[in-house]
Amino acid sequence: MKLSGKDLLGLKELSAEEIRYILYQAEIMKQILVQDAKKTPHLQGRTVVTLFYENSTRTRLSFELASKYMSANAANITASGSSVAKGESLIDTARTLDVMGTDVIVIRHQMSGAPHLIAQHVKAAVVNAGDGMNEHPTQALLDMLTMKEKKGRIEGLKVAIVGDVAHSRVARSNIYGLNKMGAEVVLGGPATLMPRDIESLGVTAYEDVDKAIKGADVVMCLRLQKERQQSGLLPSMREYSKFFGVDTKRLRLAKEDALIMHPGPVNRGIELCTDAINLDRAVIDEQVTNGVAVRMAVLNILAKRGN
Ligand code: NCD
């Protein structure tokens, strides 16, 4: 099987079958990660470039390690150290990478739609590693892989996504993906951080976080995206964590064995408290590991689409 497009821009564009295919490939890649010698010839001779215009630790490193584990040539560019800082346009930068023989361009950009724009101008496959407030497809894929691994299924799960939904590309990609895979998505968070039209995506949204968490199989907390917020959306951090933060008391409303997830980086004590992070059913580390497996699968599928 192949994906229908040359790129991975969002889960909005993928079918349930394509998502299932990537997750299956990621399960195979995960076997490589548990070995001492993590090296396979899958991407020998292929070139992957990560082009990051926003900060990142796990996403960038996991794409880089995924490339290296599969023997690809891997390079990284950050906006501050490149000609972007000299005023070069996004399309010109991407075309430069393209004509140097890059097979896959992984891009993170503060503008929603930036990966879609460059995808039209390059021969390379483009992977969206987060575009503004729009999508972060590989994050949702690694979240779904983690749910599948821990719960044995995605279909029928009740997933509560809690926090700053408005600014979250992670929430949007999970909504698209989880809906397609047959899970029920319930959102919780302050009205000022909840997009007005979000229920049109087939989810239920509550301002009362307790209502969202009640009976959930998975509680996914989101980072408060201070860098994307205008002022005046929130009272104080203390009030935010009191009314919308997830702690062990609030977690009692979820199923007893509910998974606790967070895409990272966590603002400890704001959206999620340390006691909750320390619970056995908090799977934040597993999410990070699965991020490498998912990115290996995605790079392998896209870099080899031509043959
Ligand atoms: C997310 C992102 O950058 O969108 N982080 C990540 O990729 N692990 C979430 C966030 O920054 O809050």
Side-chain angles (χ1 to χ4, degrees):
M1 190 183 152
K2 284 190 177 144
L3 300 186
S4 55
K6 84 172 167 71
D7 313 292
L8 175 61
L9 302 174
L11 295 194
K12 189 179 181 181
E13 292 90 358
L14 291 195
S15 65
E17 199 191 357
E18 287 174 312
I19 293 173
R20 240 175 262 124
Y21 170 63
I22 298 173
L23 295 180
Y24 173 68
Q25 294 293 318
E27 280 166 351
I28 297 172
M29 292 302 179
K30 181 118 188 234
Q31 303 303 316
I32 297 162
L33 289 180
V34 295
Q35 293 168 14
D36 287 341
K38 300 174 191 53
K39 200 81 175 172
T40 76
H42 281 92
L43 292 187
Q44 211 146 36
R46 314 284 167 139
T47 302
V48 178
V49 178
T50 49
L51 175 59
F52 274 56
Y53 290 78
E54 272 189 5
N55 296 344
S56 172
T57 306
R58 20 205 137 228
T59 305
R60 199 183 110 187
L61 185 60
S62 62
F63 272 109
E64 272 182 58
L65 290 180
S67 309
K68 289 181 173 156
Y69 291 162
M70 294 190 295
S71 310
N73 308 309
N76 168 65
I77 301 179
T78 47
S80 60
S82 70
S83 289
V84 171
K86 298 186 196 166
E88 187 172 52
S89 80
L90 180 61
I91 293 171
D92 286 342
T93 304
R95 283 193 42 75
T96 304
L97 308 187
D98 206 35
V99 295
M100 284 191 195
T102 306
D103 296 290
V104 184
I105 299 174
V106 179
I107 177 172
R108 168 170 286 192
H109 200 282
Q110 61 279 7
M111 186 185 96
S112 299
H116 308 63
L117 179 67
I118 69 160
Q120 291 168 18
H121 292 88
V122 295
K123 285 211 286 298
V126 176
V127 180
N128 179 2
D131 63 326
M133 308 192 297
N134 180 39
E135 280 222 45
H136 190 355
T138 54
Q139 177 68 43
L141 288 164
L142 74 88
D143 292 335
M144 289 192 280
L145 179 65
T146 309
M147 292 178 210
K148 187 160 177 257
E149 236 176 44
K150 298 286 170 188
K151 293 280 168 204
R153 66 194 164 104
I154 298 171
E155 196 177 351
L157 292 180
K158 178 179 173 183
V159 181
I161 304 182
V162 179
D164 183 358
V165 176
H167 301 95
S168 177
R169 50 202 181 201
V170 176
R172 238 162 298 265
S173 284
N174 267 293
I175 291 170
Y176 291 127
L178 288 165
N179 267 345
K180 287 178 189 185
M181 299 297 283
E184 178 195 353
V185 180
V186 181
L187 308 175
T192 47
L193 297 177
M194 192 63 74
R196 261 172 226 283
D197 57 346
I198 198 81
E199 290 195 333
S200 67
L201 297 183
V203 297
T204 313
Y206 294 106
E207 185 164 11
D208 182 348
V209 168
D210 291 354
K211 283 195 181 140
I213 291 182
K214 197 153 185 265
D217 297 285
V218 177
V219 178
M220 183 185 292
C221 303
L222 301 172
R223 182 175 66 86
L224 200 53
Q225 308 261 315
K226 286 188 219 135
E227 75 276 25
R228 288 185 226 284
Q229 283 171 18
Q230 316 147 306
S231 60
L233 291 180
L234 289 174
S236 66
M237 285 305 124
R238 255 181 68 191
E239 270 165 313
Y240 181 83
S241 70
K242 179 164 176 234
F243 291 108
F244 306 105
V246 172
D247 56 14
T248 45
K249 183 162 166 262
R250 195 156 260 157
L251 277 172
R252 282 190 215 121
L253 296 165
K255 292 216 177 110
E256 216 177 322
D257 58 352
L259 298 180
I260 299 145
M261 302 179 74
H262 192 298
V266 181
N267 293 308
R268 279 178 189 261
I270 296 182
E271 66 259 1
L272 187 59
C273 75
T274 294
D275 286 352
I277 296 172
N278 291 341
L279 293 173
D280 282 345
R281 55 203 172 84
V283 292
I284 300 169
D285 287 349
E286 286 85 342
Q287 287 174 268
V288 176
T289 307
N290 284 339
V292 183
V294 157
R295 280 141 192 159
M296 288 171 80
V298 166
L299 292 174
N300 190 42
I301 293 166
L302 294 181
K304 290 186 175 160
R305 70 190 192 285
N307 49 35

